[in-house]
Amino acid sequence: EEEEEEEENQVVCLPPCALKNFEEVLLEADNKEVLVFLDYDGTLSPIVTDPNKAYISEETRKAVLEVSTRFRTSIISGRSVDKVKNFVGLPHLFYAGSHGMDIEGPDVGICGQTTAGTTNRVKHRPEGLDQNEAAGARDELSERTAGIEGVTVEDNKFCCSVHFRNCKDPTSVDRVERIVREVSDERGLDVKRGRKVFEVRPRVTWNKGNALDYLMSVFEVTQKTGFPIYLGDDKTDEDAFAKLRELGCGRGVLVSTKVKPTQAHYSVKDPTEVLEFLRLLSRWGKSRDEPEGR
């Protein structure tokens, strides 16, 4: 992966392993409310050639469910809210789709329980967000890349993703990037390159870090009272890692085997290790809530 190979040449190293240093990860979490934030693609599910088949395993779904019974749990994804909710299959979680721009969830007073029929559901979108902007760009990009083999344009409601993972001809990637940037510039949209994908987003001052910060405020949790943990694998997740650094609380965990610049505190290799981390977190939460001999 060209961009990641370039990053490997920089003088950086992977953060310490979150599994080997699990107790250290949670050293400052005692007597604080732990909040769990999870990216989806490449974190809960493996990266696959067909983005419509990025399924979460039943083991991982069960682990997320277990974690969510002890800690407020949110999924922050580049996918649309409806799409990522359908993949995860746990309606009682909090979801932030379109790279954190479209947030919804149950009554904030409820943790680990569904709240069908409640009138106090969380729902937030930043000011100035226009779904028509992404829709127009998506349609034009679909039309202009239709003849390029291996390109898929995905509708993510307030954003769109141009996947080029299946492009066999390396020169076609340059062509795709040129088209994406032309369309985005003409329409006043931003472009961010991720893992074999170009993310086209509105020029709204909002990202995954803002979504994390917003949800903390909804939960009425501050830097002093909360301990947010964020797991993610891609460049858009760096905004959340940076927010944790800015707030001076919690821990960011990068999901990667590649050495690349990151503001995460720790790392795990892949979704399999994410599963192991979530299981450890559940056990830690149980031991904290139900100490031996009680």
Side-chain angles (χ1 to χ4, degrees):
E1 298 188 3
E2 182 181 344
E3 195 162 78
E4 292 181 349
E5 286 172 1
E6 288 176 4
E7 290 174 339
E8 281 191 286
N9 294 327
Q10 299 183 37
V11 185
V12 292
C13 60
L14 274 174
C17 176
L19 298 178
K20 293 179 181 177
N21 299 278
F22 184 76
E23 290 185 5
E24 183 184 294
V25 173
L26 292 163
L27 201 58
E28 298 175 16
D30 277 339
N31 303 315
K32 292 185 178 181
E33 181 172 351
V34 173
L35 305 173
V36 179
F37 298 92
L38 303 163
D39 173 42
Y40 184 75
D41 292 278
T43 300
L44 293 179
S45 74
I47 296 292
V48 293
T49 55
D50 183 351
N52 293 316
K53 295 181 179 178
Y55 302 120
I56 186 174
S57 71
E58 284 304 318
E59 282 184 314
T60 301
R61 181 178 288 108
K62 183 180 177 182
V64 174
L65 175 60
E66 288 293 323
V67 165
S68 71
T69 61
R70 299 192 179 278
F71 315 114
R72 286 199 179 104
T73 302
S74 306
I75 310 295
I76 304 184
S77 171
R79 305 268 193 162
S80 69
V81 163
D82 290 342
K83 196 174 292 184
V84 75
K85 280 175 75 172
N86 187 54
F87 273 131
V88 177
L90 299 172
H92 67 279
L93 305 186
F94 297 85
Y95 289 90
S98 301
H99 298 290
M101 295 182 193
D102 193 11
I103 301 173
E104 60 180 63
D107 186 319
V108 295
I110 303 297
C111 181
Q113 301 292 329
T114 56
T115 52
T118 181
T119 58
N120 299 316
R121 292 182 63 82
V122 174
K123 197 164 186 68
H124 177 79
R125 293 169 183 169
E127 189 177 345
L129 202 57
D130 184 356
Q131 186 176 346
N132 293 328
E133 289 183 349
R138 179 201 65 221
D139 291 344
E140 185 176 353
L141 287 166
S142 296
E143 184 179 334
R144 293 184 59 178
T145 60
I148 306 175
E149 187 180 359
V151 176
T152 305
V153 180
E154 182 184 9
D155 175 15
N156 284 313
K157 196 168 184 177
F158 294 104
C159 309
C160 67
S161 304
V162 183
H163 299 273
F164 58 90
R165 181 169 297 277
N166 298 323
C167 284
K168 295 178 181 178
D169 180 4
T171 62
S172 64
V173 177
D174 293 334
R175 184 181 166 199
V176 172
E177 181 170 13
R178 188 165 58 251
I179 292 170
V180 170
R181 296 197 182 278
E182 282 177 5
V183 171
S184 300
D185 287 345
E186 288 169 4
R187 293 176 174 270
L189 300 170
D190 282 338
V191 179
K192 201 160 191 173
R193 181 169 176 167
R195 295 176 67 182
K196 301 292 187 182
V197 64
F198 293 109
E199 304 285 3
V200 180
R201 309 190 291 184
R203 286 181 181 163
V204 175
T205 307
W206 197 270
N207 55 41
K208 290 185 176 184
N210 298 113
L212 181 152
D213 196 33
Y214 172 80
L215 284 166
M216 284 184 65
S217 69
V218 166
F219 301 150
E220 297 183 347
V221 173
T222 68
Q223 297 99 309
K224 292 183 179 179
T225 63
F227 191 85
I229 301 172
Y230 187 101
L231 284 83
D233 74 307
D234 209 351
K235 284 192 170 181
T236 57
D237 299 303
E238 289 298 326
D239 294 322
F241 298 147
K243 179 58 69 174
L244 292 179
R245 295 278 186 183
E246 178 189 324
L247 294 173
C249 68
R251 292 293 180 264
V253 180
L254 174 69
V255 183
S256 180
T257 56
K258 300 280 187 180
V259 176
K260 53 187 176 182
T262 183
Q263 295 205 53
H265 303 81
Y266 294 92
S267 67
V268 292
K269 291 179 181 178
D270 51 34
T272 301
E273 290 200 348
V274 170
L275 170 59
E276 189 175 344
F277 181 87
L278 293 175
R279 284 172 170 167
L280 287 173
L281 188 58
S282 288
R283 291 190 206 115
W284 179 86
K286 182 177 181 180
S287 66
R288 186 177 76 161
D289 296 343
E290 304 168 13
E292 289 183 25
R294 194 173 74 176

